[in-house]
PDB file of all heavy atoms in Angstrom:
ATOM      1  N   LEU M  22    -209.173 -57.065 -93.134  1.00 81.00           N
ATOM      2  CA  LEU M  22    -208.263 -56.383 -92.214  1.00 81.00           C
ATOM      3  C   LEU M  22    -208.981 -56.031 -90.916  1.00 81.00           C
ATOM      4  O   LEU M  22    -208.445 -56.232 -89.819  1.00 81.00           O
ATOM      5  CB  LEU M  22    -207.683 -55.124 -92.855  1.00 81.00           C
ATOM      6  CG  LEU M  22    -206.764 -54.275 -91.965  1.00 81.00           C
ATOM      7  CD1 LEU M  22    -205.520 -55.064 -91.573  1.00 81.00           C
ATOM      8  CD2 LEU M  22    -206.391 -52.983 -92.653  1.00 81.00           C
ATOM      9  N   VAL M  25    -209.376 -59.183 -88.841  1.00 85.00           N
ATOM     10  CA  VAL M  25    -208.119 -59.564 -88.181  1.00 85.00           C
ATOM     11  C   VAL M  25    -207.846 -58.652 -86.988  1.00 85.00           C
ATOM     12  O   VAL M  25    -207.475 -59.123 -85.905  1.00 85.00           O
ATOM     13  CB  VAL M  25    -206.942 -59.534 -89.189  1.00 85.00           C
ATOM     14  CG1 VAL M  25    -205.599 -59.602 -88.479  1.00 85.00           C
ATOM     15  CG2 VAL M  25    -207.072 -60.661 -90.188  1.00 85.00           C
ATOM     16  N   LEU M  26    -208.042 -57.358 -87.162  1.00 86.00           N
ATOM     17  CA  LEU M  26    -207.814 -56.418 -86.059  1.00 86.00           C
ATOM     18  C   LEU M  26    -208.769 -56.693 -84.898  1.00 86.00           C
ATOM     19  O   LEU M  26    -208.368 -56.629 -83.727  1.00 86.00           O
ATOM     20  CB  LEU M  26    -207.952 -54.973 -86.545  1.00 86.00           C
ATOM     21  CG  LEU M  26    -206.867 -54.494 -87.505  1.00 86.00           C
ATOM     22  CD1 LEU M  26    -207.200 -53.108 -88.026  1.00 86.00           C
ATOM     23  CD2 LEU M  26    -205.505 -54.502 -86.836  1.00 86.00           C
ATOM     24  N   THR M  27    -210.017 -57.007 -85.209  1.00 87.00           N
ATOM     25  CA  THR M  27    -210.990 -57.324 -84.156  1.00 87.00           C
ATOM     26  C   THR M  27    -210.574 -58.574 -83.391  1.00 87.00           C
ATOM     27  O   THR M  27    -210.603 -58.593 -82.153  1.00 87.00           O
ATOM     28  CB  THR M  27    -212.397 -57.510 -84.763  1.00 87.00           C
ATOM     29  OG1 THR M  27    -212.755 -56.319 -85.465  1.00 87.00           O
ATOM     30  CG2 THR M  27    -213.421 -57.818 -83.694  1.00 87.00           C
ATOM     31  N   GLN M  29    -207.561 -59.761 -83.115  1.00 86.00           N
ATOM     32  CA  GLN M  29    -206.372 -59.426 -82.337  1.00 86.00           C
ATOM     33  C   GLN M  29    -206.742 -58.696 -81.052  1.00 86.00           C
ATOM     34  O   GLN M  29    -206.176 -58.969 -79.995  1.00 86.00           O
ATOM     35  CB  GLN M  29    -205.405 -58.571 -83.162  1.00 86.00           C
ATOM     36  CG  GLN M  29    -204.691 -59.343 -84.223  1.00 86.00           C
ATOM     37  CD  GLN M  29    -203.778 -58.465 -85.062  1.00 86.00           C
ATOM     38  OE1 GLN M  29    -203.894 -57.237 -85.057  1.00 86.00           O
ATOM     39  NE2 GLN M  29    -202.873 -59.086 -85.786  1.00 86.00           N
ATOM     40  N   LEU M  30    -207.674 -57.764 -81.149  1.00 87.00           N
ATOM     41  CA  LEU M  30    -208.082 -57.018 -79.959  1.00 87.00           C
ATOM     42  C   LEU M  30    -208.773 -57.914 -78.938  1.00 87.00           C
ATOM     43  O   LEU M  30    -208.495 -57.830 -77.741  1.00 87.00           O
ATOM     44  CB  LEU M  30    -208.994 -55.854 -80.355  1.00 87.00           C
ATOM     45  CG  LEU M  30    -208.305 -54.680 -81.040  1.00 87.00           C
ATOM     46  CD1 LEU M  30    -209.332 -53.707 -81.605  1.00 87.00           C
ATOM     47  CD2 LEU M  30    -207.377 -53.969 -80.071  1.00 87.00           C
ATOM     48  N   GLY M  33    -206.148 -60.993 -78.116  1.00 80.00           N
ATOM     49  CA  GLY M  33    -204.936 -60.401 -77.552  1.00 80.00           C
ATOM     50  C   GLY M  33    -205.198 -59.787 -76.198  1.00 80.00           C
ATOM     51  O   GLY M  33    -204.393 -59.919 -75.272  1.00 80.00           O
ATOM     52  N   LEU M  37    -202.841 -61.710 -73.972  1.00 81.00           N
ATOM     53  CA  LEU M  37    -201.543 -61.038 -74.027  1.00 81.00           C
ATOM     54  C   LEU M  37    -201.413 -59.832 -73.098  1.00 81.00           C
ATOM     55  O   LEU M  37    -200.311 -59.478 -72.709  1.00 81.00           O
ATOM     56  CB  LEU M  37    -201.250 -60.573 -75.462  1.00 81.00           C
ATOM     57  CG  LEU M  37    -201.144 -61.651 -76.526  1.00 81.00           C
ATOM     58  CD1 LEU M  37    -200.951 -61.020 -77.891  1.00 81.00           C
ATOM     59  CD2 LEU M  37    -200.000 -62.607 -76.220  1.00 81.00           C
ATOM     60  N   GLY M  38    -202.494 -59.169 -72.835  1.00 81.00           N
ATOM     61  CA  GLY M  38    -202.429 -57.932 -72.071  1.00 81.00           C
ATOM     62  C   GLY M  38    -202.529 -56.737 -72.997  1.00 81.00           C
ATOM     63  O   GLY M  38    -202.395 -56.845 -74.218  1.00 81.00           O
ATOM     64  N   ALA M  39    -202.726 -55.576 -72.398  1.00 84.00           N
ATOM     65  CA  ALA M  39    -203.001 -54.359 -73.179  1.00 84.00           C
ATOM     66  C   ALA M  39    -201.810 -53.920 -74.024  1.00 84.00           C
ATOM     67  O   ALA M  39    -201.959 -53.610 -75.206  1.00 84.00           O
ATOM     68  CB  ALA M  39    -203.433 -53.233 -72.246  1.00 84.00           C
ATOM     69  N   LEU M  40    -200.608 -53.885 -73.438  1.00 84.00           N
ATOM     70  CA  LEU M  40    -199.441 -53.377 -74.164  1.00 84.00           C
ATOM     71  C   LEU M  40    -199.070 -54.296 -75.334  1.00 84.00           C
ATOM     72  O   LEU M  40    -198.815 -53.821 -76.450  1.00 84.00           O
ATOM     73  CB  LEU M  40    -198.254 -53.217 -73.217  1.00 84.00           C
ATOM     74  CG  LEU M  40    -197.014 -52.557 -73.819  1.00 84.00           C
ATOM     75  CD1 LEU M  40    -197.353 -51.160 -74.321  1.00 84.00           C
ATOM     76  CD2 LEU M  40    -195.896 -52.510 -72.800  1.00 84.00           C
ATOM     77  N   SER M  41    -199.054 -55.593 -75.103  1.00 86.00           N
ATOM     78  CA  SER M  41    -198.719 -56.543 -76.179  1.00 86.00           C
ATOM     79  C   SER M  41    -199.766 -56.496 -77.285  1.00 86.00           C
ATOM     80  O   SER M  41    -199.434 -56.581 -78.469  1.00 86.00           O
ATOM     81  CB  SER M  41    -198.610 -57.955 -75.628  1.00 86.00           C
ATOM     82  OG  SER M  41    -197.554 -58.036 -74.707  1.00 86.00           O
ATOM     83  N   THR M  42    -201.023 -56.369 -76.921  1.00 85.00           N
ATOM     84  CA  THR M  42    -202.092 -56.280 -77.914  1.00 85.00           C
ATOM     85  C   THR M  42    -201.938 -55.016 -78.743  1.00 85.00           C
ATOM     86  O   THR M  42    -202.121 -55.033 -79.963  1.00 85.00           O
ATOM     87  CB  THR M  42    -203.468 -56.309 -77.225  1.00 85.00           C
ATOM     88  OG1 THR M  42    -203.581 -57.519 -76.484  1.00 85.00           O
ATOM     89  CG2 THR M  42    -204.598 -56.216 -78.229  1.00 85.00           C
ATOM     90  N   LEU M  43    -201.587 -53.912 -78.104  1.00 87.00           N
ATOM     91  CA  LEU M  43    -201.368 -52.660 -78.825  1.00 87.00           C
ATOM     92  C   LEU M  43    -200.248 -52.814 -79.850  1.00 87.00           C
ATOM     93  O   LEU M  43    -200.382 -52.395 -81.000  1.00 87.00           O
ATOM     94  CB  LEU M  43    -201.045 -51.525 -77.840  1.00 87.00           C
ATOM     95  CG  LEU M  43    -200.710 -50.177 -78.470  1.00 87.00           C
ATOM     96  CD1 LEU M  43    -201.938 -49.630 -79.195  1.00 87.00           C
ATOM     97  CD2 LEU M  43    -200.235 -49.209 -77.430  1.00 87.00           C
ATOM     98  N   TRP M  44    -199.139 -53.447 -79.447  1.00 88.00           N
ATOM     99  CA  TRP M  44    -198.024 -53.658 -80.370  1.00 88.00           C
ATOM    100  C   TRP M  44    -198.431 -54.568 -81.522  1.00 88.00           C
ATOM    101  O   TRP M  44    -198.034 -54.356 -82.670  1.00 88.00           O
ATOM    102  CB  TRP M  44    -196.811 -54.229 -79.643  1.00 88.00           C
ATOM    103  CG  TRP M  44    -196.032 -53.194 -78.914  1.00 88.00           C
ATOM    104  CD1 TRP M  44    -195.937 -53.027 -77.568  1.00 88.00           C
ATOM    105  CD2 TRP M  44    -195.265 -52.141 -79.500  1.00 88.00           C
ATOM    106  NE1 TRP M  44    -195.153 -51.942 -77.279  1.00 88.00           N
ATOM    107  CE2 TRP M  44    -194.730 -51.376 -78.446  1.00 88.00           C
ATOM    108  CE3 TRP M  44    -194.971 -51.758 -80.812  1.00 88.00           C
ATOM    109  CZ2 TRP M  44    -193.911 -50.284 -78.659  1.00 88.00           C
ATOM    110  CZ3 TRP M  44    -194.153 -50.658 -81.016  1.00 88.00           C
ATOM    111  CH2 TRP M  44    -193.641 -49.934 -79.953  1.00 88.00           C
ATOM    112  N   LEU M  45    -199.214 -55.588 -81.229  1.00 85.00           N
ATOM    113  CA  LEU M  45    -199.685 -56.511 -82.253  1.00 85.00           C
ATOM    114  C   LEU M  45    -200.553 -55.786 -83.278  1.00 85.00           C
ATOM    115  O   LEU M  45    -200.377 -55.938 -84.492  1.00 85.00           O
ATOM    116  CB  LEU M  45    -200.458 -57.664 -81.606  1.00 85.00           C
ATOM    117  CG  LEU M  45    -200.978 -58.754 -82.515  1.00 85.00           C
ATOM    118  CD1 LEU M  45    -199.831 -59.515 -83.163  1.00 85.00           C
ATOM    119  CD2 LEU M  45    -201.856 -59.707 -81.725  1.00 85.00           C
ATOM    120  N   VAL M  46    -201.485 -54.983 -82.800  1.00 88.00           N
ATOM    121  CA  VAL M  46    -202.372 -54.230 -83.691  1.00 88.00           C
ATOM    122  C   VAL M  46    -201.586 -53.200 -84.500  1.00 88.00           C
ATOM    123  O   VAL M  46    -201.784 -53.064 -85.716  1.00 88.00           O
ATOM    124  CB  VAL M  46    -203.516 -53.566 -82.887  1.00 88.00           C
ATOM    125  CG1 VAL M  46    -204.292 -52.575 -83.729  1.00 88.00           C
ATOM    126  CG2 VAL M  46    -204.448 -54.635 -82.323  1.00 88.00           C
ATOM    127  N   LEU M  47    -200.668 -52.489 -83.852  1.00 90.00           N
ATOM    128  CA  LEU M  47    -199.851 -51.506 -84.577  1.00 90.00           C
ATOM    129  C   LEU M  47    -198.995 -52.178 -85.643  1.00 90.00           C
ATOM    130  O   LEU M  47    -198.850 -51.663 -86.749  1.00 90.00           O
ATOM    131  CB  LEU M  47    -198.982 -50.716 -83.603  1.00 90.00           C
ATOM    132  CG  LEU M  47    -199.705 -49.664 -82.766  1.00 90.00           C
ATOM    133  CD1 LEU M  47    -198.742 -49.003 -81.779  1.00 90.00           C
ATOM    134  CD2 LEU M  47    -200.340 -48.612 -83.664  1.00 90.00           C
ATOM    135  N   GLY M  48    -198.423 -53.337 -85.317  1.00 90.00           N
ATOM    136  CA  GLY M  48    -197.622 -54.073 -86.292  1.00 90.00           C
ATOM    137  C   GLY M  48    -198.445 -54.487 -87.497  1.00 90.00           C
ATOM    138  O   GLY M  48    -197.999 -54.383 -88.647  1.00 90.00           O
ATOM    139  N   THR M  49    -199.654 -54.951 -87.248  1.00 88.00           N
ATOM    140  CA  THR M  49    -200.547 -55.341 -88.336  1.00 88.00           C
ATOM    141  C   THR M  49    -200.895 -54.141 -89.211  1.00 88.00           C
ATOM    142  O   THR M  49    -200.882 -54.227 -90.438  1.00 88.00           O
ATOM    143  CB  THR M  49    -201.832 -55.975 -87.778  1.00 88.00           C
ATOM    144  OG1 THR M  49    -201.472 -57.109 -86.985  1.00 88.00           O
ATOM    145  CG2 THR M  49    -202.782 -56.387 -88.880  1.00 88.00           C
ATOM    146  N   LEU M  50    -201.193 -53.012 -88.577  1.00 89.00           N
ATOM    147  CA  LEU M  50    -201.524 -51.802 -89.350  1.00 89.00           C
ATOM    148  C   LEU M  50    -200.331 -51.312 -90.169  1.00 89.00           C
ATOM    149  O   LEU M  50    -200.500 -50.920 -91.334  1.00 89.00           O
ATOM    150  CB  LEU M  50    -202.019 -50.703 -88.412  1.00 89.00           C
ATOM    151  CG  LEU M  50    -203.406 -50.924 -87.818  1.00 89.00           C
ATOM    152  CD1 LEU M  50    -203.719 -49.853 -86.771  1.00 89.00           C
ATOM    153  CD2 LEU M  50    -204.459 -50.929 -88.911  1.00 89.00           C
ATOM    154  N   VAL M  51    -199.136 -51.349 -89.593  1.00 92.00           N
ATOM    155  CA  VAL M  51    -197.940 -50.894 -90.311  1.00 92.00           C
ATOM    156  C   VAL M  51    -197.658 -51.807 -91.502  1.00 92.00           C
ATOM    157  O   VAL M  51    -197.411 -51.333 -92.615  1.00 92.00           O
ATOM    158  CB  VAL M  51    -196.725 -50.814 -89.362  1.00 92.00           C
ATOM    159  CG1 VAL M  51    -195.433 -50.669 -90.132  1.00 92.00           C
ATOM    160  CG2 VAL M  51    -196.890 -49.660 -88.391  1.00 92.00           C
ATOM    161  N   LEU M  52    -197.685 -53.134 -91.275  1.00 89.00           N
ATOM    162  CA  LEU M  52    -197.419 -54.065 -92.376  1.00 89.00           C
ATOM    163  C   LEU M  52    -198.500 -53.977 -93.456  1.00 89.00           C
ATOM    164  O   LEU M  52    -198.183 -53.987 -94.654  1.00 89.00           O
ATOM    165  CB  LEU M  52    -197.320 -55.493 -91.846  1.00 89.00           C
ATOM    166  CG  LEU M  52    -196.074 -55.815 -91.034  1.00 89.00           C
ATOM    167  CD1 LEU M  52    -196.153 -57.225 -90.476  1.00 89.00           C
ATOM    168  CD2 LEU M  52    -194.825 -55.647 -91.883  1.00 89.00           C
ATOM    169  N   GLY M  53    -199.759 -53.903 -93.050  1.00 85.00           N
ATOM    170  CA  GLY M  53    -200.842 -53.765 -94.025  1.00 85.00           C
ATOM    171  C   GLY M  53    -200.746 -52.463 -94.807  1.00 85.00           C
ATOM    172  O   GLY M  53    -200.919 -52.447 -96.022  1.00 85.00           O
ATOM    173  N   GLY M  54    -200.451 -51.375 -94.104  1.00 85.00           N
ATOM    174  CA  GLY M  54    -200.299 -50.077 -94.773  1.00 85.00           C
ATOM    175  C   GLY M  54    -199.112 -50.049 -95.718  1.00 85.00           C
ATOM    176  O   GLY M  54    -199.202 -49.518 -96.828  1.00 85.00           O
ATOM    177  N   ALA M  55    -198.002 -50.648 -95.292  1.00 87.00           N
ATOM    178  CA  ALA M  55    -196.815 -50.688 -96.154  1.00 87.00           C
ATOM    179  C   ALA M  55    -197.084 -51.529 -97.402  1.00 87.00           C
ATOM    180  O   ALA M  55    -196.706 -51.140 -98.517  1.00 87.00           O
ATOM    181  CB  ALA M  55    -195.626 -51.246 -95.389  1.00 87.00           C
ATOM    182  N   GLY M  56    -197.754 -52.666 -97.233  1.00 83.00           N
ATOM    183  CA  GLY M  56    -198.085 -53.505 -98.383  1.00 83.00           C
ATOM    184  C   GLY M  56    -199.000 -52.796 -99.361  1.00 83.00           C
ATOM    185  O   GLY M  56    -198.798 -52.865-100.580  1.00 83.00           O
TER     186      GLY M  56
END
Side-chain angles (χ1 to χ4, degrees):
L22 177 63
V25 167
L26 292 174
T27 303
Q29 287 178 343
L30 287 170
L37 298 176
L40 186 59
S41 296
T42 301
L43 176 65
W44 280 110
L45 182 65
V46 169
L47 285 177
T49 302
L50 288 173
V51 167
L52 289 175

